[in-house]
Every structure is written in structure tokens, then in C-alpha cells.
Amino acid sequence: NRLCARAIILAWIAAALACWWLIEQPQGSWMEHHPCFQRLLSAMDVYRHRLTMGSYGAQSEKPTWLYSSTLSLNKNLLYEFSYSIVKG
């Protein structure tokens, strides 16, 4: 829980400095339900990008969520994706 809270605090700091942030989590992660993450969701738009590591040459699919403060990731970093806005 502390590590999750620390990552979310860093996301808050990045947002306060007008920087975008990104947090990678396995698709089965419970981070989205963490109280600190829920507060972040209630304060700003958070975009959830879905990808599989198999798309990037890994031997297993390993479905992954990328949570970020920007939608521009789809143009700059990802070539196969789906996304949604996550709300608390």
C-alpha cells in the first residue's frame, strides 16, 4: 500500500508541475481501487491505455494497463491500444 501511495503522490506532484505522468500496472492489479488512486480519479481525468507486452516482442501476452494524465500517448508511444477515461 505504501508503494502504491508513493507512486500516486508522485503523479500528484507531476500534475501540479504541469507534467504528464504514467503508471504501468498488470491488468489484474487492484491499484485502481486504492483509496489514494480513487482521490486522484476524482480530481482529474486519468486515461487507461490497454496493451499487451506480446505486441512488443515478449513471449507472453501479459496484458497491461497504462494509467496516464494525457491522451497523447496514443500518438507518441503506442501503436496498438485501446483506452478509456477512468472515473472514481
Side-chain angles (χ1 to χ4, degrees), residues 39-57:
R39 277 183 245 140
L40 183 73
L41 294 178
S42 66
M44 66 179 74
D45 286 341
V46 175
Y47 299 93
R48 183 174 64 187
H49 308 265
R50 184 186 183 280
L51 62 96
T52 59
M53 296 298 177
S55 299
Y56 298 93

Side-chain angles (χ1 to χ4, degrees), residues 57-70:
Q59 292 181 353
S60 66
E61 285 295 309
K62 191 181 175 190
T64 303
W65 293 120
L66 298 179
Y67 297 96
S68 70
S69 60
T70 181

Side-chain angles (χ1 to χ4, degrees), residues 9 12 14 16 25-26 49 51-52 56 59-60 70 76 80 82-84 88:
I9 288 169
W12 277 105
Q25 288 290 295
H49 308 265
L51 62 96
T52 59
Y56 298 93
Q59 292 181 353
S60 66
T70 181
N76 299 325
E80 290 183 28
S82 63
Y83 75 91
S84 58

